[in-house]
Structures are given as C-alpha cells and as structure tokens.
Amino acid sequence: MDISPLKLLYIGGWGRSGSTLIGGRLGAQPGWVHVGEIWHLWQDSGDLSALCSCRKPYRDCTFWGPVLDAAGITPEVAMEMRAIKADYLGTRQLLTNRAAWQGDLPEPLQRYGSQLLKLYRAIADATGARCLVDASKTPSTIRLLSALAQDPEARLEPKVLHLIRDPRAVAYSWWFRPKARGPQAAQGTMARHSPLRSTLSWRARNKAVVAACTGLDVPRFELRYEDFALDPENTLKALIDFVGPVSGGTAPHAEIHSIRGNAVRFDGPAKPIKLDEKWRSELPGYWQRVVEMTAGAGLRRYGYRRG
C-alpha cells in the first residue's frame, strides 16, 4: 500500500465559474482524478434521479458503488453527514461564527472529517491516483481540511484553487442561460438565481474562501476563469506545478465519474475551452449595473472593470 501523503486540490468559489471544465482537464493528468462535487454525494447517493457522469445512479455506478461500500457510506451514514453539513458547514456559519473553528473541532465535525477522509482514501484506492480534485467549492470545508491535515496519521496534503469568474458572466449564466441537469429529459434544469442573489453569493463565497485560507497551512492559488480560457495549457501547467509531483498512474476507469457540476461533465474532458462573453451583449445593461454595484470592491479586487 502506498503510504505517501494523498494530495488534494480543493476548488473553492461560487458556481458557474468553470470548475467542471478545469476539474475535467486536471483529472486527465497522470496520477490525478477529478470526482466533481463531493459536497453533494451525501444527498445524491440515495437519489435514483441523480446521475453520475457515466449516466447511472451512484449506487448503480461501477465506480461509486464500490467506493461507497469501501468508505462505509450507508444510507444512514449519508443522512448523518447531510445533517452535520447543514448545521456546521454553511458559508454563513464560517463568516459569522469563526470562534467555532478555533481549537479542537466539535465532535460532529470530527465525525464528518473522518468520514470525508475515508471517502477520499477509498477513491484513491479505487483509481490509483495520488491527487484528487474536489470541486465542491464550499469554503467551510477548507478549514475542515486544514484541521485534518494537522493529524500526521491522516496523510493528507490539501491545497486550494480559488476560482473566480466575472460576476456579470456568472449572473448571466445563473439567470439567463438555464442549463440541463443531465442527459435525460426527466432531469430538468439546474437551479436558477437572480443576478442580485448570484452576485451576493459570489461576493460572500469569494470572501469566505480567502477567510478560510487566511492563517492556515493551506496554500491558495487564485485563478480567474477568463485567464484559464485564454491560455488553458499554461494554466494547467501552473496548477500542476502548484500541487507538486504526483506519483501513480491514471485512473483505470475509461469513463469519468464526477458528481454534479455543469452538464458538460457528460461530454468527457475533451470539451473545447473557449472564452464565452455573451453576457456583454445579452445581459441587460440594468442588470450589469446592479451586478457591478453589488460586487463592489470585489470587482476591482479580482481585476474586472465596470462598464
């Protein structure tokens, strides 16, 4: 058994920022595996209408079925993890109750962290990969990962990819471009957020990612999706260098088995990368101004201009 530390690249940020595309490309690298948004597995593992990117329910998937068994994730365990997540791991809890994260973790968070680590290990054992890409994006998990990494027996090396996209492009994607949840008509469309709600979440999430990494031994790589789209090859090289050398071969599964994210996950990792700026002409000027005012200093902080 490989006893070297397991590397984890955790993608933090707000949705519709390109994490599915970036994660898929990273997961195609030797020794890497992209598993999508682990955050949602506790719910989706028992939902027959929720599909892995192989187009099967998770319990019926040839990858996730054995992984869930190896990690001891029964329906009862999944329900418990969902409850802990709801009580302790929201962005609001992180921003408003930082004192709860000082010192030893509360016992429920210790159980959650232990189960999450078992899941990561089961994925590594099933794929042979030594670097996992988790695109869950929730900032509170970063603090939990930092606490786990302090335990030498955990043998976990987490790093954070802080992924940002222009909030006007994000708002346009959430509200004006409904996206299918999956390949079947019964899957319907993904959730929609108004431009105002999207931008408030964009601001809170990015602030929380920075707050979660501040003062912790979790290195953060800040990346704008626009920079990735304009130069994907060199961006991937920079991310690989950021994580460091990874041993092990490619995952033995011909298919990608990722959780949630954009419906492009059903198309495989070879999806062409291009800069989509339809929002400039299709997002009404009124909403552009609302987004700019709501984003506030965050717009300048990440290098975006008004107008």
Side-chain angles (χ1 to χ4, degrees):
M1 181 180 294
D2 190 343
I3 60 172
S4 62
L6 177 63
K7 295 178 182 289
L8 174 71
L9 183 62
Y10 187 88
I11 301 179
W14 180 229
R16 303 293 177 91
S17 295
S19 63
T20 303
L21 288 173
I22 293 177
R25 290 300 177 93
L26 287 169
Q29 306 301 312
W32 293 60
V33 62
H34 173 236
V35 291
E37 302 176 12
I38 290 291
W39 175 262
H40 296 291
L41 183 62
W42 317 119
Q43 175 180 341
D44 289 359
S45 62
D47 184 355
L48 295 179
S49 69
L51 302 182
C52 170
S53 58
C54 72
R55 307 179 183 229
K56 294 180 181 179
Y58 293 94
R59 292 286 177 182
D60 296 336
C61 170
T62 57
F63 173 77
W64 285 111
V67 164
L68 292 171
D69 290 341
I73 301 177
T74 63
E76 292 75 20
V77 169
M79 185 177 297
E80 179 189 15
M81 295 302 107
R82 286 173 59 187
I84 295 173
K85 184 181 77 169
D87 291 340
Y88 290 90
L89 290 170
T91 299
R92 182 179 301 174
Q93 288 94 320
L94 175 62
L95 291 174
T96 61
N97 191 20
R98 296 185 188 180
W101 291 89
Q102 305 301 319
D104 294 336
L105 293 177
E107 195 273 335
L109 276 179
Q110 293 182 32
R111 295 203 308 274
Y112 187 97
S114 176
Q115 187 61 67
L116 185 61
L117 189 59
K118 288 180 182 178
L119 179 59
Y120 285 149
R121 287 289 171 191
I123 293 169
D125 291 343
T127 62
R130 301 307 301 166
C131 183
L132 275 59
V133 182
D134 182 347
S136 293
K137 294 185 284 295
T138 54
S140 52
T141 306
I142 297 171
R143 285 195 178 272
L144 179 60
L145 293 173
S146 173
L148 292 176
Q150 303 307 311
D151 181 0
E153 295 185 2
R155 305 194 314 278
L156 183 70
E157 289 186 4
K159 294 187 177 182
V160 172
L161 166 56
H162 183 186
L163 184 61
I164 307 113
R165 189 181 183 187
D166 190 311
R168 293 160 295 193
V170 173
Y172 172 69
S173 180
W174 274 113
W175 187 247
F176 293 93
R177 298 185 69 179
K179 295 181 182 293
R181 290 184 59 202
Q184 299 176 356
Q187 287 283 295
T189 58
M190 296 171 66
R192 296 174 68 195
H193 297 314
S194 72
L196 178 59
R197 180 180 177 185
S198 168
T199 309
L200 287 170
S201 297
W202 179 91
R203 189 175 69 180
R205 276 290 185 92
N206 288 317
K207 179 181 178 181
V209 170
V210 175
C213 293
T214 301
L216 300 178
D217 295 327
V218 181
R220 181 173 66 96
F221 187 108
E222 191 172 289
L223 173 66
R224 300 192 316 173
Y225 172 75
E226 292 81 4
D227 297 329
F228 165 74
L230 289 172
D231 191 3
E233 183 176 349
N234 285 321
T235 302
L236 289 175
K237 288 180 180 179
L239 285 170
I240 292 169
D241 289 342
F242 170 68
V243 169
V246 173
S247 62
T250 55
H253 300 272
E255 295 177 302
I256 295 177
H257 296 275
S258 63
I259 304 166
R260 294 228 190 167
N262 195 299
V264 298
R265 68 194 178 101
F266 296 100
D267 300 333
K271 179 89 173 170
I273 305 295
K274 63 180 180 179
L275 183 61
D276 183 355
E277 292 195 308
K278 289 184 178 180
W279 67 267
R280 294 187 180 275
S281 59
E282 297 184 10
L283 180 65
Y286 167 77
W287 279 121
Q288 291 192 34
R289 291 188 291 274
V290 168
V291 171
E292 290 169 358
M293 288 187 294
T294 306
L299 201 69
R300 298 187 299 274
R301 162 68 178 80
Y302 298 114
Y304 299 111
R305 297 181 179 180
R306 291 176 180 266

